[in-house]
Amino acid sequence: MNREIIDINDYTILLEVASSDNNLIDSCFFDEPVIAIAFYGSGDVKLNVKFDGKAKEFHHTKGMVLSFYADNMVEFEHHVSKLKSLQCLVIATTIRNIDQLPNGEGQFLEQFLYQLIHPKDHYVEGPVFNMSPEMFQLVEQFFSNTYEGEIKMMFYKSHITALFSHYFGQLAKQQHTKLDTSQIEKINLAQEILISDLENPPSLTELAYKIGTNTNKLKTEFKAQFGVPVFKYLQNERLKKAHNLIKNERKTIQEAAWAVGYDSLGSFSNAFEKKYGYRPSQA
């Protein structure tokens, strides 16, 4: 086990490297409450986080980034073996130091890791994701550098800044993706609403209101997601249901047309033929 602890700019840097021919457990506690980000390099240990009778397991840590708040009641267990070595960089600070961090990092911690700065338990977990190639390369350089003294400190300071810039950049992208995901969920809800009442579907205005958006965004996002405008999608679903009613459930053409909201048999037959290439009577 090789463990190095360095204090830089109100951060505590912990570098841990371990490998073993036998199975061993390396336990780690923090003396005081910390906000920390752990970057796992080329090692791939199993990690158990234990607190207050609870446990959280991570079975594959290679390339993982784990952010957390932890007090002295939390135990971190790394299960090291011949095939599962440890290479972990932890950058930690305390809540009282947040406002003193360089480069505006305290502001980004508040913005992206709010739950860690305002914890409600002994252990609070923030975002967990895999590092980008740029982040992974920076982490590897922490373990491979051979500088000493002040040059080594300069190296660490510059690389921490670079690593944080990639880290917060990735969180910003994830936040944007969540917004996109929220919009996708709304459009999926619009689809469900249409399918659930093909006979009496809502108007565009009503549908936009039901999902919490405006008609322009509904039309744009719906076409982007399903490849056709709302009306065309609705028409296709109506005709698919009518085709099934006629062919498989032996409904009359009039019954099928009424079941999917067509009042005019002529309009229904023309739309049916345009989609399937033959008249409903030939189905």
Side-chain angles (χ1 to χ4, degrees):
M1 167 69 64
N2 185 4
R3 180 177 292 165
E4 183 178 7
I5 300 175
I6 310 119
D7 290 319
I8 301 176
N9 291 343
D10 294 304
Y11 288 115
T12 296
I13 311 302
L14 173 63
L15 286 167
E16 288 189 281
V17 179
S19 60
S20 175
D21 289 335
N22 303 309
N23 295 332
L24 65 86
I25 297 176
D26 169 49
S27 291
C28 176
F29 294 86
F30 292 94
D31 295 332
E32 61 178 323
V34 297
I35 297 162
I37 305 170
F39 301 87
Y40 284 84
S42 60
D44 194 20
V45 298
K46 174 185 174 184
L47 167 65
N48 285 347
V49 182
K50 298 181 178 181
F51 65 101
D52 199 24
K54 306 171 188 175
K56 179 71 179 286
E57 293 186 353
F58 299 90
H59 292 278
H60 300 284
T61 55
K62 181 179 180 179
M64 183 180 78
V65 185
L66 169 66
S67 60
F68 59 87
Y69 163 86
D71 61 20
N72 57 4
M73 301 293 292
V74 184
E75 179 183 7
F76 295 84
E77 282 187 355
H78 289 121
H79 293 244
V80 182
S81 67
K82 188 173 183 178
L83 298 177
K84 301 281 186 177
S85 60
L86 171 64
Q87 190 184 72
C88 182
L89 162 66
V90 179
I91 304 176
T93 190
T94 60
I95 293 175
R96 68 174 180 271
N97 284 340
I98 293 295
D99 294 333
Q100 303 172 38
L101 298 177
N103 308 313
E105 288 151 11
Q107 173 189 339
F108 293 126
L109 287 170
E110 181 79 29
Q111 178 181 348
F112 294 112
L113 303 177
Y114 181 88
Q115 70 272 38
L116 308 186
I117 299 175
H118 306 275
K120 296 181 179 180
D121 205 343
H122 297 292
Y123 173 78
V124 180
E125 193 172 287
V128 181
F129 57 88
N130 290 324
M131 286 185 271
S132 65
E134 294 83 3
M135 292 171 70
F136 195 87
Q137 184 177 22
L138 284 166
V139 170
E140 289 291 300
Q141 289 174 9
F142 275 90
F143 295 98
S144 61
N145 91 86
T146 56
Y147 301 126
E148 298 291 341
E150 291 300 316
I151 297 176
K152 184 176 184 178
M153 291 301 102
M154 180 186 294
F155 175 90
Y156 282 155
K157 288 177 184 178
S158 65
H159 277 58
I160 288 171
T161 300
L163 188 56
F164 271 148
S165 67
H166 287 294
Y167 176 74
F168 289 123
Q170 194 150 334
L171 287 183
K173 287 181 181 178
Q174 288 182 0
Q175 192 174 75
H176 178 70
T177 300
K178 286 180 182 178
L179 293 176
D180 290 345
T181 301
S182 174
Q183 189 63 29
I184 289 171
E185 289 175 353
K186 288 182 179 181
I187 298 304
N188 286 337
L189 176 59
Q191 178 211 26
E192 292 173 9
I193 292 171
L194 290 175
I195 292 176
S196 67
D197 194 359
L198 292 174
E199 186 178 355
N200 296 295
S203 67
L204 273 177
T205 302
E206 291 170 335
L207 184 58
Y209 178 79
K210 284 176 180 288
I211 67 171
T213 190
N214 60 61
T215 54
N216 286 335
K217 185 163 282 190
L218 169 61
K219 289 189 288 186
T220 301
E221 298 292 337
F222 195 98
K223 186 175 181 180
Q225 191 158 331
F226 293 104
V228 292
V230 176
F231 176 76
K232 187 66 176 177
Y233 182 89
L234 175 62
Q235 184 186 54
N236 286 338
E237 291 301 312
R238 281 174 156 178
L239 294 172
K240 281 163 59 178
K241 181 176 180 180
H243 185 275
N244 181 65
L245 290 173
I246 294 170
K247 186 170 184 178
N248 299 319
E249 298 188 26
R250 302 303 178 186
K251 298 293 184 182
T252 66
I253 295 172
Q254 187 173 63
E255 287 173 334
W258 285 349
V260 296
Y262 278 90
D263 295 323
S264 167
L265 286 181
S267 295
F268 171 69
S269 294
N270 289 337
F272 191 99
E273 184 177 15
K274 188 174 182 179
K275 178 173 177 59
Y276 291 107
Y278 50 86
R279 307 291 287 180
S281 57
Q282 298 172 296

